Amino acid sequence: MKIPFRRELEFEYGAVTQISPNIRRVIAHNPSPFTLYGTGTYIIGKGNVAVIDPGPADAKHIDAVLDATRGERITHILVTHTHTDHSPGCRLLREYCDAPTYAFGPHGSGIEEEGVQIEESADHDFDPDHAVRHGDRIDGVDWSMECVYTPGHTSNHMCYALPDEKVLFTGDHVMAWSTSVISPPDGDMRRYLQSLELLLARDDAYYWPTHGPAVLEPKRHVRAFIAHRHDREQQILRCIEGGTQLINDMVPKMYTELPEFMYPAAARSVLAAVVHLVQRGEIVADGDAGLNARYRLA
Ligand SMILES: [Zn+2]
């Protein structure tokens, strides 16, 4: 099952694009192998609006969002998760408006154990005014959104549905152009797969991720992502069977088309899959199931 990837998107940095009568988007100038063209900040409603993911701490981008909402009032700021390309813009935006922030919680808040180490691309300063949970509704003057908790990419990842338009804002959980990086310990493969299954039970017409174009066939896309992770597991099992026990040796065998500078990110995703295989008792680690452990079949 091939993932129906799409990357094409018409936009201009600093300009607002009208996506539907009730949805606009401004893209920040932070292109990278992880963000594609950059962070897409969504504006929902007219007159009294919500902003989803103000993006990085980039004053020019916040100016563009303010320009796009000139003469309107920002009443809500929604955050999908606390990576530095999503939430730090909240602090800048709040210098110009008094809208409260909504999110699952601060970085790492979806992890239950204590003392976990947290990766460096996280925004540790963000703490939402309102901690929202799965199924919560957030009501504006003429719009209403529903919170869809989707841990996996991060433990606090939240998607937001706009039921009136059957649209789901998927953050970094499901993107049209790429799979998501799942980096333990805050990233968790078991929960990510559960969060994909959760979307299959929904009835969204399409998804708008934070990066890149819309996902036009949501269920086909999600099913392909699930199958892709299953294929990766099979690759890992074959590597181990063939005597490749270290994750750093598995990566070049598994990611034959990936440029080498992306190997460290790929290793995090392999680790996530390996941890999930260990949890299910299919493989065992010599010691803690980390990046440098040796793995063998159980
Ligand atoms: Zn992210």
Side-chain angles (χ1 to χ4, degrees), residues 50-274:
V51 167
I52 305 177
D53 280 354
D58 172 353
K60 265 180 103 169
H61 177 59
I62 297 301
D63 279 349
V65 171
L66 291 168
D67 274 347
T69 54
R70 191 83 47 212
E72 300 178 289
R73 187 165 163 248
I74 298 171
T75 58
H76 299 69
I77 303 171
L78 279 50
V79 170
T80 60
H81 66 295
T82 44
H83 278 153
T84 50
D85 53 327
H86 293 257
S87 49
C90 290
R91 285 193 296 282
L92 301 186
L93 189 55
R94 292 252 287 208
E95 290 173 19
Y96 302 93
C97 73
D98 57 2
T101 52
Y102 296 75
F104 182 85
H107 195 75
S109 54
I111 289 187
E112 272 110 47
E113 320 101 81
E114 304 253 329
V116 289
Q117 157 216 340
I118 297 165
E119 76 266 54
E120 68 256 42
S121 67
D123 174 8
H124 298 288
D125 298 333
F126 177 78
D127 194 0
D129 299 315
H130 298 282
V132 287
R133 291 295 177 264
H134 184 71
D136 284 357
R137 293 191 76 88
I138 303 172
D139 291 318
V141 173
D142 59 359
W143 52 262
S144 181
M145 307 255 264
E146 182 200 332
C147 300
V148 181
Y149 183 45
T150 47
H153 174 66
T154 62
S155 64
N156 64 357
H157 196 287
M158 190 69 83
C159 294
Y160 297 99
L162 191 58
D164 284 353
E165 300 206 20
K166 283 194 161 192
V167 167
L168 186 68
F169 296 94
T170 47
D172 286 2
H173 178 45
V174 175
M175 298 176 281
W177 66 284
S178 172
T179 57
S180 303
V181 172
I182 311 296
S183 178
D186 194 57
D188 184 304
M189 189 62 75
R190 183 181 58 86
R191 302 183 84 188
Y192 167 70
L193 289 168
Q194 286 171 349
S195 295
L196 287 178
E197 295 284 349
L198 179 80
L199 298 197
L200 288 180
R202 296 181 49 85
D203 192 23
D204 307 295
Y206 51 97
Y207 301 156
W208 276 109
T210 301
H211 310 288
V215 176
L216 300 179
E217 300 172 272
K219 290 199 179 172
R220 184 171 161 223
H221 216 94
V222 169
R223 282 195 195 98
F225 275 159
I226 293 170
H228 168 72
R229 299 295 178 171
H230 181 74
D231 290 348
R232 288 287 190 220
E233 280 189 352
Q234 295 304 312
Q235 282 180 297
I236 291 167
L237 292 172
R238 280 200 300 275
C239 276
I240 295 173
E241 242 166 30
T244 306
Q245 295 180 302
L246 293 167
I247 287 173
N248 285 333
D249 295 335
M250 296 178 196
V251 169
K253 293 186 175 169
M254 294 173 60
Y255 293 80
T256 50
E257 278 159 42
L258 196 71
E260 221 167 299
F261 76 93
M262 293 287 283
Y263 282 2
R268 304 299 306 178
S269 279
V270 175
L271 174 61
V274 159

